């Protein structure tokens, strides 16, 4: 049908390359070397100042990192996270009062085992990164993806953090910090020692991983039918490893290097993957889904172009490591497709990324009910965001359940042309029918019958989007043990809750 | 090798459902298709017994299938609705002539009353005449704005309680994506609503019973039911954002067929920060239609056409609304700006 039902007549902003002005717009003196936005031509020094200022401003505006706090920098070797690393180093080396006052460490997740890299290629990449990390002088942790097979179930437990009141507690922490640093000369010093002892520990650590874990990873990836689901799963496992590393070493914040270009792609692919409810968590400055460890994204104001310029101009080293979708065709996965779509659109309409990015700032993460902190069954087993399948009766989630049920044998409750009134209401939150076969949970008693199976059914424990990922798997039992163990635990809890449901007073509403 | 229907497990499957991937026989597909629309109507409580429901009929596949299915369901489940077809004649030679013929045939086949409202009778202008004045570049603005009101006005003439339109799942998902690309948070929040309650006097509640129905399945349904529809896109191209969003959605669907419903789920579950400004809806002081400005879009467009100043409705000229309302003359400079239009 004709789609002009809306009054959209804003014209897309066409690309227009301004003639390069000779002088810097800021100091009016230096020779302009690059143009950030239309009309903003900067000289080298002013660009550096602008770039550095932006990092500090982002942290200053959000005030979530406390002085003296241990912060883990997640570095992938790519331009954005490498640039973030250089910004932290820059910030720590400044004179007070502009000095950053947290204690950094680095984590690198070696995903070579999932991306078809040889042992030598992986070792070479790690060696390159290690030399960069050593030069920074921060303690670092190299984690191999294979290590997911030895993670403890506790990773998936969201630990509630102390209630945060941004203003007051931040100020208290600053005061505390200033008092402390008056006594001992320079609180930053111990971090250097830390770094050295850190090296000692880490360099003696055996860099290999047991063969059984390597094979387990191969089996896991082989059971995922689509690249879309593989990428999604890899992202989840990577986050779990980073989270675990942070907890084990006492880091309470993790910095991720997502640029605004990256976040625009992430926002759009999240929408396409059914992650609408988690958009704000996935793309916002701070991400509190894990409770005790908070993810922050301080690079979110930089475009990938700015980062590339900065890195080149100021010799920020980065290491290219092929990923899962490197050299795959455009339509290989939803994530890959979204990336190429945004990149192309950005080339024609330079406001694309910033427009999508601005959308992310207006979004809100679905509020987790108070009980969610103690009741893990309301959080997704995999991505740990609030479960979003308790939708209204008329919803996309229920519509697709109805479609699946109506297309399968034996599940057809009424013959055509009979007077069936409204079908039984789905109770998706409690739906736990067999996962692998993709059967809908039509009959009310399915939950009791499917329990004894060896493989726990994950569907009822997952958010909408993670269900899609699991649906693309042929063998759910290839998932790492910590996930399966936690799944069983949560299922037992769900079953218990169902048995006693009629005696429980609904506290979800009063909690808000 | 013949594939067996996964639903009845007896007959031979004739199609693979784009939405779920299941292979179904013809009867099971019809049944599932209709049943799903029924589920949507029941669960979203779209209608009440005794209501008069106007089906926005363009002669295209969506509204033809909608009219057919509503007629079937109204009888099968005894909704007790009074259905009628409502068409808009934009006055586009060669486009509407044929599609209106289709609507007229549908009227006879489905035995539903039909009302055609024309732009000419409502506004005094046909689209052909508008194109002559504004050129091809901006006519979609006019067409869209006028059409929206035309349906409402037609519905009011017929004392219709609700209007339903043939928007399908693809349309809704596409709109979600488009609003993200445009950064239009207000529309992003509203666009997945299955029905709009009556907002102000000028508007009649609207709903989309095919909201969860895949476009491809609509075509399959029409094909196997041998429904008569007129398959021509509006001869005027959709706007740039929608075009990009549409291409992207089709690509997403080809990578993961559930993507259409997944995008709708995202739209339904995302939540907008409190404090983000949303436009306030008021009514047009000239015609009483809903409008966030003093004058509604269509009154501004009409004023522009009638004064020979077509740009009036295209750019943002809110500050001129006062003058127009007071019927004051515009300055020469203002006139010059509003006259120039690129074809
Ligand atoms: Zn300068
Ligand atoms: Zn999830
Ligand atoms: Zn069948
Ligand atoms: Zn008006």
């Amino acid at each position: 049908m004709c789609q002009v039902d809306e009054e959209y007549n804003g014209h897309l902003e066409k690309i227009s390359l301004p003639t390069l002005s000779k002088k810097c717009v800021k100091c009016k003196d230096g020779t302009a070397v690059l143009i950030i936005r239309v009309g903003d031509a900067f000289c080298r020094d002013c660009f550096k100042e602008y770039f550095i200022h932006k990092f500090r401003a982002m942290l200053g505006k959000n005030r979530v990192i406390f002085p003296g706090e241990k912060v883990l920098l997640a570095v992938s070797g790519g331009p954005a996270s490498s640039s973030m690393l250089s910004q932290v180093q820059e910030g720590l080396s400044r004179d007070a009062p502009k000095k950053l006052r947290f204690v950094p460490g680095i984590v690198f997740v070696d995903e070579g085992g999932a991306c078809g890299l040889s042992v030598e290629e992986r070792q070479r990449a790690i060696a390159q990164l290690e030399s960069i990390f050593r030069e920074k002088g921060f303690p670092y942790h190299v984690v191999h993806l294979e290590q997911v097979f030895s993670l403890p179930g506790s990773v998936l437990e969201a630990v509630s953090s102390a209630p945060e009141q941004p203003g007051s507690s931040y100020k208290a922490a600053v005061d505390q910090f200033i008092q402390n640093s008056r006594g001992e000369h320079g609180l930053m010093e111990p971090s250097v020692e830390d770094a050295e002892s850190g090296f000692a520990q880490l360099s003696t650590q055996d860099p290999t991983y047991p063969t059984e874990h390597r094979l387990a990873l191969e089996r896991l990836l082989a059971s995922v039918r689509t690249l879309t689901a593989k990428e999604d799963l890899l992202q989840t496992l990577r986050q779990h490893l980073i989270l675990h590393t942070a907890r084990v070493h006492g880091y309470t914040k993790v910095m991720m290097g997502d640029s605004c270009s990256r976040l625009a792609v992430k926002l759009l692919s999240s929408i396409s993957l059914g992650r609408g409810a988690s958009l704000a968590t996935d793309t916002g400055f701070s991400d509190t889904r894990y409770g005790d460890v908070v993810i922050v994204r301080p690079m979110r104001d930089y475009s990938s172009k700015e980062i590339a310029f900065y890195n080149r101009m100021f010799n920020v080293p980065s290491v290219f490591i092929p990923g899962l979708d490197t050299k795959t065709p455009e339509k290989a996965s939803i994530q890959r497709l979204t990336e190429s779509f945004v990149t192309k659109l950005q080339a024609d309409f330079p406001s694309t990324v910033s427009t999508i990015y601005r959308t992310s700032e207006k979004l809100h993460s679905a509020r987790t009910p108070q009980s969610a902190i103690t009741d893990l069954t309301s959080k997704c087993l995999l991505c740990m965001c609030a479960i979003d399948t308790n939708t209204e009766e008329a919803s996309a989630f229920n519509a697709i359940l109805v479609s699946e049920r109506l297309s399968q044998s034996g599940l057809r409750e009424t013959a055509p042309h009979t007077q069936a009134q409204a079908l039984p209401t789905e109770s998706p939150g409690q739906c736990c029918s067999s996962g692998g076969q993709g059967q809908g949970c039509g009959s009310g008693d399915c939950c009791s019958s499917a329990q004894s199976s060896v493989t726990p059914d994950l569907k009822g424990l997952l958010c909408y989007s993670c269900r899609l990922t699991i649906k693309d798997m042929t063998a759910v039992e290839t998932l790492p043990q910590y996930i399966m163990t936690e799944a069983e635990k949560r299922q037992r809890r769900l079953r218990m809750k169902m048995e006693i449901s009629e005696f429980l007073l609904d506290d979800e509403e009063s909690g808000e | 090798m013949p594939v067996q229907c996964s639903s009845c497990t007896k007959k031979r499957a004739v199609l693979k459902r784009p939405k779920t991937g299941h292979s179904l026989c013809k009867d099971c597909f019809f049944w599932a298709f209709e049943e799903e629309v029924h589920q949507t109507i029941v669960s979203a409580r779209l209608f009440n017994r005794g209501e008069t429901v106007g089906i926005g009929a363009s002669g295209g596949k969506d509204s033809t299938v909608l009219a057919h299915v509503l007629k079937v369901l109204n009888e099968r489940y005894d909704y007790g609705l009074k259905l009628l077809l409502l068409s808009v004649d934009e006055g586009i030679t060669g486009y509407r002539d044929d599609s209106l013929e289709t609507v007229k045939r549908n009227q006879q086949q489905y035995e539903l009353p039909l009302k055609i409202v024309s732009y000419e009778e409502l506004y005094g202008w046909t689209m052909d005449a508008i194109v002559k004045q504004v050129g091809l570049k901006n006519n979609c603005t006019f067409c869209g704005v006028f059409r929206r009101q035309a349906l409402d006005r037609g519905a009011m003439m017929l004392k219709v309680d609700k209007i339903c339109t043939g928007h399908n799942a693809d349309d809704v998902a596409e709109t979600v994506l488009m609003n993200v690309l445009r950064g239009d948070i207000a529309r992003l929040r509203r666009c997945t609503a299955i029905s709009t309650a009556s907002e102000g006097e000028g508007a009649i509640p609207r709903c989309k019973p095919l909201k969860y129905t895949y476009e491809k399945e609509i075509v399959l349904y029409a094909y196997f039911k041998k429904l008569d529809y007129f398959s021509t896109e509006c001869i005027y191209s959709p706007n740039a954002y929608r075009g990009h969003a549409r291409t992207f959605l089709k690509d997403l669907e080809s990578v993961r067929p559930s993507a259409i419903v997944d995008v709708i789920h995202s739209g339904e579950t995302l939540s907008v920060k409190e404090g983000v400004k949303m436009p306030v809806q008021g009514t047009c002081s000239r015609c009483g239609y809903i409008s966030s400005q003093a004058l509604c879009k269509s009154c501004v467009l009409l004023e522009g056409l009638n004064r020979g100043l077509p740009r009036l409705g295209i750019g943002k000229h809110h500050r001129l609304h006062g003058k127009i309302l007071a019927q004051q003359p515009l300055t020469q400079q203002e006139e010059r700006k509003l006259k120039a239009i690129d074809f």
Side-chain angles (χ1 to χ4, degrees), chain A residues 24-31 41-47:
Chain A
C24 169
V25 291
K26 211 168 169 199
C27 63
K28 313 271 190 269
D29 184 35
T31 309
F42 280 159
C43 73
R44 195 184 142 95
D45 288 347
C46 289
F47 175 57

Side-chain angles (χ1 to χ4, degrees), chain A residues 20 68 90 177 183 195 203 228 278 322 337 366 391 423 463 474:
Chain A
L20 195 69
E90 223 290 327
F177 177 80
S203 54
T228 303
S278 317
L337 175 69
T391 54
L423 287 177
C463 73
T474 51

Side-chain angles (χ1 to χ4, degrees), chain A residues 3-4 6 8-9 12 271 274 276 361-362 364 388 395-396 403 407 409 412 414 416 419-420 464 472, chain B residues 6-7 17 19 28 31 36 76-77 144 171 178-179 182 187 241-242 256 262 265-266 268 271 273 314:
Chain A
Q3 282 303 343
V4 288
E6 6 21 42
Y8 297 127
N9 55 350
L12 292 170
I271 286 180
E361 298 202 300
K362 293 172 192 155
H364 193 274
D388 56 347
S395 63
S403 295
S407 307
S409 68
R412 201 161 139 170
T414 46
Q419 293 264 335
Y464 182 96
D472 280 355
Chain B
S6 68
S7 182
R17 286 197 74 176
K19 195 174 180 180
C28 289
W31 184 71
E36 283 167 32
R76 184 183 300 166
Y77 293 111
D171 295 327
M178 182 179 66
N179 286 328
R182 303 181 69 246
R187 281 200 177 87
Y241 285 106
R242 192 173 277 285
R256 179 183 259 179
D262 302 342
H265 174 77
S266 280
E268 285 175 348
S271 80
K273 261 186 200 163
I314 296 163

Side-chain angles (χ1 to χ4, degrees), chain A residues 412, chain B residues 5-11 24-25 27-28:
Chain A
R412 201 161 139 170
Chain B
C5 170
S6 68
S7 182
C8 64
T9 65
K10 287 185 195 79
K11 280 184 257 179
L24 294 183
C25 72
D27 286 335
C28 289

Side-chain angles (χ1 to χ4, degrees), chain A residues 275 278 380-385 461-467:
Chain A
R275 296 190 54 84
S278 317
C380 174
L381 180 70
L382 290 178
C383 70
M384 297 166 85
C385 286
L461 305 172
L462 300 174
C463 73
Y464 182 96
S465 184
C466 291
R467 283 176 178 228

